[in-house]
Amino acid sequence: GLEQKGKLEYWNRFPPNGPGRIDTFGPYKALFFDLPAGDSIGTADLPSLWNQRVRVGMELHWDGNNASVAERNFSASIGAGALPATLDHESLRQIADYIMDLKPPAYPYPIDKTLAAEGRTHYQRYCAACHDLEGERVGKVEPLQELGTDPHRVDAFTPELVERMNTLGTGYDWKFSHFRKTQGYANSLLDGIWLRGPYLHNGSVPTLWHLLNPKERPAIFYRGDDRIDKKMVGFGWNEPSAGGRNFYRFDTSQLGNGNAGHEYGAGLSSEEKLALLEYLKTL
């Protein structure tokens, strides 16, 4: 207990995760490998788990550091506290089978089909190459210099950690071998995107409207509100509390919380952006 507490003291140097986020690989460095935390924090927004079958072969995790769904599942279990000798393989198999074909929930409110049809043309032009199942760049890592998003998650997964991660499972038939160092973030599918806010790998942009309007992205917003923002597409973000609940104040100036980058589609008109958002509700 005290030994582990000492190893995790580095957390005190970094901002808190807040709801729905975790420092993905920091605990691996500290608890498994005695590696220094460094100056970067790997805080990431928890991604969706549905439709894993179509993701087989894609570059997984936010930074695309592993292309094996099986290793992704095992590493998530170990990161959550399991040990190689205590992994419950049967339970893990059942969960893995379940999420292979699990579908995202459908958008629960009316959708303007005419507007969505118009929005599909904008999606094909600005989004599909990187995010559609038929897109040439989907499931591949986009260089950080192109994206311009917060670099901390990429920087926190160091070459030294890659080397150590690929030693996990030594002596078992599932030994890791697919971890690698990348220099960017992976282009993911947009299935159920209406339910996956806040956006970007670190959850630093509250709604899809803000993603398409970089100059309007708030420096401060609130996470934890589960009320759907039907117009901007995301969750409630601008109220510190509601219904007796206090929400988490997210400060984009803190380490690892940067909200810059990914400005694709920013040149569309407001009307075109609203049409695109209407289409994204259908995915």
Side-chain angles (χ1 to χ4, degrees), residues 2-283:
L2 289 177
E3 181 182 357
Q4 284 193 336
K5 180 181 178 182
K7 289 181 177 181
L8 294 174
E9 283 294 326
Y10 78 91
W11 274 349
N12 296 327
R13 294 195 288 113
F14 295 138
N17 297 324
R21 302 199 314 160
I22 190 67
D23 175 7
T24 320
F25 286 104
Y28 274 101
K29 290 180 181 178
L31 299 178
F32 288 98
F33 306 126
D34 290 323
L35 290 172
D39 297 322
S40 295
I41 181 169
T43 312
D45 200 69
L46 297 179
S48 62
L49 279 177
W50 47 67
N51 280 338
Q52 291 302 301
R53 190 176 303 280
V54 295
R55 287 169 165 81
V56 172
M58 293 185 181
E59 294 167 346
L60 306 170
H61 292 141
W62 282 113
D63 60 348
N65 65 20
N66 197 309
S68 166
V69 169
E71 283 193 18
R72 192 277 316 276
N73 293 342
F74 274 91
S75 67
S77 300
I78 293 173
L83 297 173
T86 63
L87 276 173
D88 186 338
H89 289 258
E90 177 56 24
S91 293
L92 189 58
R93 183 195 64 76
Q94 291 179 20
I95 295 172
D97 288 348
Y98 174 67
I99 63 177
M100 271 290 179
D101 299 301
L102 177 67
K103 302 304 178 189
Y107 186 74
Y109 302 107
I111 294 175
D112 184 328
K113 294 182 179 180
T114 301
L115 191 61
E118 177 191 336
R120 187 176 186 276
T121 64
H122 306 310
Y123 167 82
Q124 291 293 340
R125 181 176 180 184
Y126 291 99
C127 313
C130 290
H131 296 294
D132 192 80
L133 191 57
E134 304 300 322
E136 61 183 20
R137 296 288 304 159
V138 71
K140 298 179 180 179
V141 171
E142 205 65 31
L144 190 57
Q145 62 192 38
E146 167 67 23
L147 284 171
T149 51
D150 190 286
H152 277 271
R153 172 64 180 80
V154 168
D155 294 343
F157 195 68
T158 61
E160 293 79 14
L161 182 55
V162 172
E163 182 180 349
R164 303 294 182 87
M165 288 294 293
N166 282 326
T167 68
L168 283 175
T170 298
Y172 297 90
D173 60 5
W174 52 266
K175 178 185 176 297
F176 292 166
S177 62
H178 290 77
F179 279 98
R180 68 189 189 109
K181 174 63 184 170
T182 74
Q183 299 297 334
Y185 295 108
N187 297 319
S188 63
L189 295 171
L190 301 186
D191 44 348
I193 191 65
W194 68 271
L195 192 56
R196 287 159 58 179
Y199 299 96
L200 296 184
H201 76 275
N202 57 0
S204 60
V205 177
T207 71
L208 292 177
W209 173 264
H210 291 111
L211 196 64
L212 293 172
N213 291 276
K215 293 181 180 179
E216 295 183 22
R217 295 175 189 175
I220 303 289
F221 68 95
Y222 297 91
R223 292 180 57 111
D225 191 343
D226 59 2
R227 295 173 298 174
I228 299 297
D229 188 323
K230 301 176 187 178
K231 182 176 181 180
M232 292 186 164
V233 190
F235 295 104
W237 57 275
N238 61 349
E239 296 181 9
S241 62
R245 294 182 299 153
N246 294 318
F247 305 129
Y248 178 77
R249 183 180 185 272
F250 188 94
D251 184 347
T252 62
S253 71
Q254 290 185 321
L255 206 66
N257 288 0
N259 66 354
H262 196 287
E263 298 189 0
Y264 310 104
L268 291 166
S269 70
S270 294
E271 291 75 18
E272 291 170 332
K273 289 173 182 176
L274 289 174
L276 175 56
L277 295 187
E278 200 70 9
Y279 176 70
L280 292 176
K281 294 174 184 178
T282 71
L283 298 181

